[in-house]
Amino acid sequence: MHDELLTIGRFARLCRLSVKQLRHYAELELLAPARVDPATGYRYYAPGQARDALTIALLRDMDLPLAVIARALAADPASRARILRDERDRLAERVRRDRARLHLLERLAEGGLPGYEVALTTEPARRLAVVRAECAPAEIGAAFGACAARLLPALGRAGADWEPPLWGLYPLDLTERIEITVGAPVPPGPDREIPGVARQEVPGGPVAETVHSGPYTQLPLAYHALLAAVHERGLRPLGPVRETYLAGPAEAPEEELLTRLVIPVAEGTP
């Protein structure tokens, strides 16, 4: 058996890896040597282990976590494909977020912080038919779409009257997991029970508001201007933050989307 095995140095060269990497993979139980000499501690690998070693190196080069690689190596072919597809989808989402950040930086580099007109007004109370979801802040777009896809058909099936535009309610502080609310304004009157749809009263009162024109990925610019104006006026922002989609993706191209941002405010700092 010893004659059929390769020393760790020869195996490392065969796989274009370093001895240090192979030792690290063994410590993590990703790729154990085929044999360890009990007297000398020398490690030996079988030529058939080269495929796994090369796979580990390839996936690490793509920044896949070692825990994911371990699961993929231990899985059957169908499960391995599913694991890798899940990682592909996560990578695609990360690329999408990075591309949005790149466009945001380009806009800031070209023109600095854009100017937003911030108004202090009084918002009337509103009554919304709502659905809710929990998500990470990076998943707000997908969660909003899923909520709208639940809300609007339910209102249609029930023949319920509602007045555009759709509303989004979000917590002021973005933690690791947040609850978002998607609502459609409904007229006052007795509630009609609609499966999967709740009612929420949004109180009126003093607010700071502005309008953002452009992609949703650039909404942080509008929030920056809005919150800066609130603090400069010695006011205290309250939640939930409200967004109304005056011109959404169904009505306008991305560069012409219109979103009204509203933050309730109170006198004094926290």
Side-chain angles (χ1 to χ4, degrees), residues 4 7 32 51 69 96 99 102 104 135 146 161 163 168 172 180 185 190-191 239 246 249 256 262-263:
E4 299 171 356
T7 65
R51 181 178 293 275
I69 296 173
R96 185 195 66 78
R99 188 177 292 117
L102 177 62
L104 194 58
C135 65
D161 293 329
E163 303 166 356
L172 186 62
I180 73 165
D191 285 341
L246 307 177
E256 298 176 16
V262 178
I263 296 181

CSV table of all heavy atoms in Angstrom, one decimal, residues 4 7 32 51 69 96 99 102 104 135 146 161 163 168 172 180 185 190-191 239 246 249 256 262-263:
chain,number,residue,atom,x,y,z
A,4,GLU,N,2.0,2.6,-3.3
A,4,GLU,CA,0.9,3.2,-4.1
A,4,GLU,C,0.6,4.7,-3.7
A,4,GLU,O,-0.1,5.4,-4.4
A,4,GLU,CB,-0.3,2.4,-4.1
A,4,GLU,CG,-0.2,1.0,-4.6
A,4,GLU,CD,-1.4,0.1,-4.4
A,4,GLU,OE1,-2.3,0.6,-3.7
A,4,GLU,OE2,-1.4,-1.0,-4.8
A,7,THR,N,3.9,11.0,-1.1
A,7,THR,CA,4.2,11.8,0.0
A,7,THR,C,3.4,13.1,-0.1
A,7,THR,O,3.0,13.5,-1.2
A,7,THR,CB,5.7,12.1,0.0
A,7,THR,OG1,6.0,12.9,-1.1
A,7,THR,CG2,6.6,10.9,0.1
A,32,ALA,N,-8.4,14.2,4.7
A,32,ALA,CA,-7.5,13.5,5.5
A,32,ALA,C,-6.5,12.7,4.7
A,32,ALA,O,-6.8,12.2,3.6
A,32,ALA,CB,-8.2,12.6,6.5
A,51,ARG,N,-8.7,14.5,-7.1
A,51,ARG,CA,-9.9,15.2,-7.5
A,51,ARG,C,-10.5,16.0,-6.4
A,51,ARG,O,-10.9,17.2,-6.6
A,51,ARG,CB,-10.9,14.2,-8.1
A,51,ARG,CG,-12.2,14.9,-8.6
A,51,ARG,CD,-13.1,13.8,-9.2
A,51,ARG,NE,-12.5,13.3,-10.4
A,51,ARG,CZ,-12.7,13.8,-11.6
A,51,ARG,NH1,-13.3,15.0,-11.7
A,51,ARG,NH2,-12.2,13.2,-12.6
A,69,ILE,N,-18.0,23.7,1.6
A,69,ILE,CA,-17.2,22.8,0.8
A,69,ILE,C,-17.2,21.4,1.4
A,69,ILE,O,-17.4,20.4,0.7
A,69,ILE,CB,-15.7,23.3,0.7
A,69,ILE,CG1,-15.7,24.6,-0.1
A,69,ILE,CG2,-14.8,22.2,0.1
A,69,ILE,CD1,-14.3,25.3,-0.1
A,96,ARG,N,-25.0,41.5,-7.3
A,96,ARG,CA,-26.0,42.5,-7.6
A,96,ARG,C,-25.9,43.7,-6.6
A,96,ARG,O,-25.9,44.8,-7.0
A,96,ARG,CB,-27.4,41.9,-7.5
A,96,ARG,CG,-28.5,42.8,-7.9
A,96,ARG,CD,-29.9,42.3,-7.4
A,96,ARG,NE,-30.0,42.3,-6.0
A,96,ARG,CZ,-30.2,43.4,-5.2
A,96,ARG,NH1,-30.3,44.5,-5.8
A,96,ARG,NH2,-30.3,43.2,-3.9
A,99,ARG,N,-22.8,45.7,-7.4
A,99,ARG,CA,-23.0,46.5,-8.6
A,99,ARG,C,-23.8,47.7,-8.3
A,99,ARG,O,-23.5,48.8,-8.7
A,99,ARG,CB,-23.7,45.7,-9.7
A,99,ARG,CG,-23.8,46.4,-11.1
A,99,ARG,CD,-24.4,45.6,-12.1
A,99,ARG,NE,-23.6,44.4,-12.5
A,99,ARG,CZ,-23.9,43.2,-12.3
A,99,ARG,NH1,-25.1,42.9,-11.7
A,99,ARG,NH2,-23.1,42.2,-12.6
A,102,LEU,N,-21.5,50.1,-6.6
A,102,LEU,CA,-20.6,50.7,-7.5
A,102,LEU,C,-21.3,51.9,-8.2
A,102,LEU,O,-20.7,53.0,-8.4
A,102,LEU,CB,-20.2,49.7,-8.6
A,102,LEU,CG,-19.3,50.1,-9.7
A,102,LEU,CD1,-18.0,50.7,-9.2
A,102,LEU,CD2,-19.1,49.0,-10.7
A,104,LEU,N,-23.7,53.6,-7.1
A,104,LEU,CA,-23.9,54.7,-6.1
A,104,LEU,C,-22.6,55.5,-5.9
A,104,LEU,O,-22.6,56.7,-5.9
A,104,LEU,CB,-24.3,54.0,-4.8
A,104,LEU,CG,-24.9,54.9,-3.7
A,104,LEU,CD1,-26.1,55.7,-4.2
A,104,LEU,CD2,-25.3,54.1,-2.4
A,135,CYS,N,-37.4,39.6,7.1
A,135,CYS,CA,-36.3,39.4,6.2
A,135,CYS,C,-35.1,40.2,6.7
A,135,CYS,O,-35.1,40.9,7.7
A,135,CYS,CB,-36.7,39.9,4.8
A,135,CYS,SG,-36.9,41.7,4.7
A,146,ALA,N,-42.7,39.8,-2.7
A,146,ALA,CA,-43.5,38.6,-2.3
A,146,ALA,C,-44.8,39.1,-1.5
A,146,ALA,O,-45.9,38.5,-1.7
A,146,ALA,CB,-42.7,37.7,-1.4
A,161,ASP,N,-62.0,47.7,-2.3
A,161,ASP,CA,-61.6,48.9,-2.8
A,161,ASP,C,-60.2,49.3,-2.1
A,161,ASP,O,-60.1,49.2,-0.9
A,161,ASP,CB,-62.6,50.0,-2.6
A,161,ASP,CG,-63.9,49.8,-3.4
A,161,ASP,OD1,-63.8,49.2,-4.5
A,161,ASP,OD2,-64.9,50.2,-2.9
A,163,GLU,N,-56.8,52.3,-2.7
A,163,GLU,CA,-56.4,53.5,-3.5
A,163,GLU,C,-54.8,53.5,-3.6
A,163,GLU,O,-54.1,53.5,-2.6
A,163,GLU,CB,-56.8,54.8,-2.7
A,163,GLU,CG,-58.3,54.9,-2.4
A,163,GLU,CD,-58.6,55.9,-1.4
A,163,GLU,OE1,-57.7,56.5,-0.9
A,163,GLU,OE2,-59.8,56.1,-1.1
A,168,GLY,N,-44.9,51.0,1.9
A,168,GLY,CA,-44.0,50.1,2.6
A,168,GLY,C,-43.7,50.8,3.9
A,168,GLY,O,-43.4,52.0,4.0
A,172,LEU,N,-37.2,52.0,11.8
A,172,LEU,CA,-36.2,53.1,11.7
A,172,LEU,C,-34.8,52.5,11.8
A,172,LEU,O,-33.9,52.9,11.1
A,172,LEU,CB,-36.4,54.1,12.8
A,172,LEU,CG,-35.6,55.3,12.8
A,172,LEU,CD1,-35.8,56.1,11.5
A,172,LEU,CD2,-35.8,56.2,14.0
A,180,ILE,N,-41.1,43.8,7.7
A,180,ILE,CA,-41.6,44.9,6.8
A,180,ILE,C,-43.1,44.7,6.6
A,180,ILE,O,-43.6,43.6,6.8
A,180,ILE,CB,-40.9,44.8,5.5
A,180,ILE,CG1,-41.3,43.6,4.6
A,180,ILE,CG2,-39.4,44.8,5.7
A,180,ILE,CD1,-40.9,43.7,3.2
A,185,PRO,N,-53.8,51.5,0.8
A,185,PRO,CA,-54.8,52.4,1.5
A,185,PRO,C,-56.2,51.9,1.2
A,185,PRO,O,-56.6,51.7,0.0
A,185,PRO,CB,-54.5,53.8,1.0
A,185,PRO,CG,-53.1,53.7,0.5
A,185,PRO,CD,-52.9,52.3,0.0
A,190,PRO,N,-66.5,49.5,8.0
A,190,PRO,CA,-66.4,48.2,8.7
A,190,PRO,C,-65.4,47.3,7.9
A,190,PRO,O,-65.4,47.3,6.7
A,190,PRO,CB,-67.8,47.7,8.6
A,190,PRO,CG,-68.5,48.4,7.5
A,190,PRO,CD,-67.9,49.7,7.5
A,191,ASP,N,-64.6,46.6,8.7
A,191,ASP,CA,-63.7,45.6,8.1
A,191,ASP,C,-64.4,44.5,7.5
A,191,ASP,O,-65.4,43.9,8.0
A,191,ASP,CB,-62.7,45.1,9.2
A,191,ASP,CG,-61.7,46.1,9.6
A,191,ASP,OD1,-61.5,47.1,8.9
A,191,ASP,OD2,-61.2,46.0,10.7
A,239,GLY,N,-40.3,55.8,14.2
A,239,GLY,CA,-40.6,54.7,13.2
A,239,GLY,C,-42.1,54.5,13.3
A,239,GLY,O,-42.9,55.0,14.1
A,246,LEU,N,-44.8,56.2,-5.8
A,246,LEU,CA,-45.6,57.0,-6.7
A,246,LEU,C,-45.6,56.6,-8.1
A,246,LEU,O,-46.5,56.7,-8.9
A,246,LEU,CB,-45.2,58.5,-6.6
A,246,LEU,CG,-45.1,59.1,-5.2
A,246,LEU,CD1,-44.6,60.5,-5.2
A,246,LEU,CD2,-46.5,59.0,-4.5
A,249,PRO,N,-42.1,50.1,-10.7
A,249,PRO,CA,-41.6,49.4,-11.9
A,249,PRO,C,-42.6,49.1,-13.0
A,249,PRO,O,-42.2,49.1,-14.2
A,249,PRO,CB,-41.0,48.1,-11.3
A,249,PRO,CG,-40.7,48.4,-9.9
A,249,PRO,CD,-41.8,49.4,-9.5
A,256,GLU,N,-36.6,56.4,-13.7
A,256,GLU,CA,-37.7,57.4,-13.5
A,256,GLU,C,-38.7,56.9,-12.4
A,256,GLU,O,-39.8,57.5,-12.2
A,256,GLU,CB,-38.5,57.6,-14.8
A,256,GLU,CG,-37.7,58.2,-15.9
A,256,GLU,CD,-38.4,58.2,-17.2
A,256,GLU,OE1,-39.6,58.1,-17.2
A,256,GLU,OE2,-37.8,58.4,-18.3
A,262,VAL,N,-41.2,59.2,4.0
A,262,VAL,CA,-41.8,59.9,5.1
A,262,VAL,C,-41.3,59.3,6.4
A,262,VAL,O,-41.3,58.1,6.6
A,262,VAL,CB,-43.3,59.8,5.0
A,262,VAL,CG1,-44.0,60.5,6.2
A,262,VAL,CG2,-43.9,60.3,3.7
A,263,ILE,N,-40.8,60.2,7.3
A,263,ILE,CA,-40.3,59.8,8.6
A,263,ILE,C,-41.1,60.7,9.6
A,263,ILE,O,-41.0,61.9,9.6
A,263,ILE,CB,-38.8,60.1,8.8
A,263,ILE,CG1,-38.0,59.2,7.8
A,263,ILE,CG2,-38.4,59.8,10.2
A,263,ILE,CD1,-36.5,59.3,8.0
